[in-house]
Amino acid sequence: MPPPVPDDPILAVTGGVEHELRLPLGELIRTLPRVSQVADFHCVATWTATDLRWSGVSFRQFWEQVLVPRCRPAADAVAVIARGADGVQAVIDLRDALADDVMLADELDGRPLDGLHGAPLRLVSPGQYGYKNIKHLTELEVTRTFPKPGRLLGEHQRARVALEERDPYMNARLYRLIGRALIPPILWLNRRSARKAT
Ligand SMILES: Nc1nc2c(c(=O)[nH]1)N[C@H]1C(S)=C(S)[C@@H](COP(=O)(O)O)O[C@H]1N2
Ligand SMILES: [Mo]
C-alpha cells in the first residue's frame, strides 16, 4: 500500500548541513524552473519501463539554488540519503545526484504522480537502477561518509545501469540470471492479486 500523502507535504534536508530545512513542496515546485524529460527506467531485477515522460524540477538546480545557499552542506559531503514516506531509502553518491538528468519529479506522463509511482514527489535518476529512484520522497540527509552496504542484495554505491553495477558483492551476470528466473513467478503472483482485487 502506498503511504498516504499529507495535506501539506514537505521535503526535509537534514544531516551534514549548517541549517536543516523543511521545505513545502508547493514552494519547491514554484521556486525552480519546470523541466521534463523522456527516459527509460531499469529495475535491477531486470525489468524495464520505456519512454516515461517525467516532469518536475532538476535536482542539481535544487542543490545549487536552494540547498547550498539555505542549508550550507559540509564541504566534505559525499552523498545524500533519500528517504521515502514508507521508510525505504537509498544512498545517492553526489557524483550521480548532480548529473544533468536527475530530477525531483511530481508528474509522470502528463499527470500528477499517483500512489503506485511515488506521490507526491519522487527522485528520478535514469542512469541508476530503480532502487535509487526513491518514491514518496520526504527527506534528503546529507552525509560525509558512505554507509556500508548490506551483504544480501546490498545497495551498490553507484548502481549505474551503463556499467551494470547491480550489487556491491554479487557478480552482475549471476544477479541478472536470478532476476530473470524470478520474473515468471512474480508475474503469476501479480496476476493472481489483480484477479483477487476485482
Ligand atoms: N519509497 C520507495 N521508493 C522506491 C521503492 C520502494 O519500495 N519505496 N522501490 C524501488 C524499486 S526497487 C524500484 S524498481 C522502483 C519501482 O518504481 P515503480 O513502483 O514506479 O515501478 O521504485 C524504487 N523506489
Ligand atoms: Mo527494483
Side-chain angles (χ1 to χ4, degrees):
M1 288 298 287
V5 177
D7 290 337
D8 303 301
I10 57 126
L11 178 62
V13 179
T14 63
V17 291
E18 270 178 40
H19 309 285
E20 296 197 335
L21 174 68
R22 292 171 59 83
L23 186 66
L25 289 197
E27 190 182 330
L28 167 75
I29 295 297
R30 269 195 313 277
T31 316
L32 294 168
R34 236 186 136 68
V35 297
S36 59
Q37 69 175 323
V38 175
D40 294 345
F41 185 98
H42 306 281
C43 168
V44 68
T46 71
W47 56 262
T48 290
T50 55
D51 290 328
L52 305 176
R53 171 168 288 277
W54 300 104
S55 53
V57 299
S58 142
F59 182 86
R60 190 167 65 207
Q61 290 194 358
F62 169 71
W63 180 268
E64 288 171 354
Q65 295 173 32
V66 178
L67 198 151
V68 169
R70 289 177 68 172
C71 304
R72 304 205 162 275
D76 56 353
V78 291
V80 291
I81 303 177
R83 274 200 192 93
D86 58 356
V88 175
Q89 66 177 51
V91 183
I92 324 282
D93 188 312
L94 282 182
R95 289 172 294 177
D96 300 307
L98 297 173
D100 282 339
D101 57 354
V102 179
M103 295 172 62
L104 300 171
D106 63 348
E107 285 185 8
L108 171 58
D109 292 332
R111 283 181 297 275
L113 283 180
D114 63 17
L116 282 178
H117 297 303
L121 188 76
R122 172 179 204 157
L123 188 81
V124 171
S125 178
Q128 295 179 283
Y129 284 114
Y131 63 86
K132 300 288 191 183
N133 292 237
I134 290 296
K135 302 190 275 190
H136 325 294
L137 186 68
T138 54
E139 182 183 350
L140 295 168
E141 178 187 337
V142 176
T143 68
R144 306 155 86 166
T145 53
F146 289 102
K148 200 172 154 48
R151 252 283 160 195
L152 187 69
L153 300 183
E155 189 187 341
H156 194 285
Q157 186 179 313
R158 308 292 303 270
R160 288 168 294 184
V161 176
L163 299 177
E164 216 181 331
E165 294 168 332
R166 294 182 190 271
D167 183 277
Y169 308 109
M170 201 195 299
N171 173 285
R173 288 186 61 205
L174 176 62
Y175 197 113
R176 199 193 316 147
L177 280 173
I178 297 170
R180 290 207 178 133
L182 288 174
I183 288 175
I186 290 171
L187 272 176
W188 181 79
L189 286 168
N190 258 328
R191 293 206 178 104
R192 197 180 63 157
S193 58
R195 266 200 310 275
K196 277 190 183 155
T198 55

